[in-house]
Amino acid sequence: MTSLDKPTSDTDRTNPTAQQEADAKAVTEAALFEAFGGIRGMVETVLPGLLFVTVFTINKDLHTSAIAALAVSLLLVAVRLIRRDTVKHAFSGVFGVAFGVVFAMMTGNAKDFYLPGMLYTLGLALAYLVTTLAGVPLIGLMLGPVFKENLSWRTRNPGRKKAYAKASWAWGLILLAKCAILFPLYWWADTAQLGWVLVALKIPPFLLAVYLTWVFLAKAPPPIDVFAEMEAEEQAEKARKAEAAAAVRHHDI
């Protein structure tokens, strides 16, 4: 158990030692890797769209491109299920591709394959900004359970709340900048041009946002492990009951 797994005093959270800072960076890196899927999650995010635009660039056939993208998404889920890995990132990719395929098939416009994902990105950007303005930054809601702190950062760890707010601002603004590039292209560019730009913008903005999140959180006070606190409280309650029972037995004797 690292120092981050133990409840810390206000002094410890305000003036972290060098070891605590090193632990914070390591735990933050691991948590971000888990929350956002790491390299494999990025591959699963990019591959369906890359296959769609590649096939469409070659044959200009919407149906073939859509089937190829959906097939590879399902294959990625199947691989995770066979290996009994976490499937949340792969499943989210399948749903995203499925929405794009259905939308494009309904309209007959291949560019509409990308539209649901673009709208999701815009909605997510607004969610980051609005929740931060409301005092409950979305990145904190997402990462709080990963760090075993839940919502303790809101009232008990102001330095950490500030870091989550900075990270959420970064995510929101980066995603808005991405939307500012993609939506004009949706109207002005052809399907292949939009697809290649979208593929190119999948990873770099994401990596920048993750890096900034890591920087902000690594410098923040360590999280308060509320699960360890609850466990300690339960152990203390058991000890009190045991002492009370022993006192009763002693009195009876």
Side-chain angles (χ1 to χ4, degrees), residues 91-112:
F91 267 129
S92 64
V94 167
F95 290 132
V97 171
F99 276 119
V101 168
V102 170
F103 203 67
M105 292 294 188
M106 289 176 58
T107 64
N109 184 352
K111 282 198 292 187
D112 288 339

Side-chain angles (χ1 to χ4, degrees), residues 187-208:
W187 297 107
W188 301 332
D190 60 33
T191 301
Q193 291 171 334
L194 174 62
W196 286 113
V197 172
L198 196 148
V199 168
L201 289 178
K202 277 284 187 179
I203 300 301
F206 173 81
L207 289 180
L208 176 59

Side-chain angles (χ1 to χ4, degrees), residues 30-48:
L32 290 176
F33 193 89
E34 175 185 344
F36 297 113
I39 295 175
R40 187 173 179 182
M42 288 188 286
V43 170
E44 291 171 343
T45 300
V46 172
L47 193 56

Side-chain angles (χ1 to χ4, degrees), residues 20-237:
Q20 285 176 323
E21 291 179 353
D23 287 344
K25 290 180 180 180
V27 172
T28 299
E29 183 177 349
L32 290 176
F33 193 89
E34 175 185 344
F36 297 113
I39 295 175
R40 187 173 179 182
M42 288 188 286
V43 170
E44 291 171 343
T45 300
V46 172
L47 193 56
L50 177 61
L51 190 58
F52 179 91
V53 70
T54 300
V55 174
F56 190 85
T57 300
I58 294 172
N59 62 18
K60 305 298 181 184
D61 184 78
L62 169 60
H63 291 79
T64 304
S65 304
I67 291 171
L70 188 57
V72 75
S73 296
L74 292 172
L75 178 61
L76 292 171
V77 171
V79 170
R80 280 191 175 265
L81 288 173
I82 291 171
R83 299 184 59 178
R84 298 182 179 179
D85 294 334
T86 303
V87 297
K88 61 180 180 179
H89 299 289
F91 267 129
S92 64
V94 167
F95 290 132
V97 171
F99 276 119
V101 168
V102 170
F103 203 67
M105 292 294 188
M106 289 176 58
T107 64
N109 184 352
K111 282 198 292 187
D112 288 339
F113 172 79
Y114 306 112
L115 189 57
M118 292 166 57
L119 292 173
Y120 172 78
T121 299
L122 178 59
L124 188 59
L126 294 176
Y128 277 117
L129 300 178
V130 170
T131 55
T132 304
L133 289 172
V136 283
L138 181 59
I139 200 72
L141 300 177
M142 294 168 59
L143 295 182
V146 177
F147 284 112
K148 301 180 182 179
E149 60 182 336
N150 286 350
L151 295 178
S152 62
W153 50 268
R154 286 198 63 200
T155 55
R156 301 175 56 193
N157 207 339
R160 197 154 181 87
K161 180 179 179 180
K162 185 177 180 180
Y164 280 137
K166 289 180 179 179
S168 289
W169 279 117
W171 277 93
L173 294 175
I174 288 170
L175 293 180
L176 275 184
K178 180 178 176 179
C179 291
I181 296 173
L182 292 178
F183 277 96
L185 289 176
Y186 174 79
W187 297 107
W188 301 332
D190 60 33
T191 301
Q193 291 171 334
L194 174 62
W196 286 113
V197 172
L198 196 148
V199 168
L201 289 178
K202 277 284 187 179
I203 300 301
F206 173 81
L207 289 180
L208 176 59
V210 170
Y211 172 73
L212 291 175
T213 302
W214 179 82
V215 169
F216 295 140
L217 293 183
K219 294 180 179 180
I224 301 171
D225 189 338
V226 294
F227 296 103
E229 289 185 340
M230 288 188 291
E231 183 179 349
E233 187 175 338
E234 289 176 0
Q235 293 297 328
E237 181 64 25

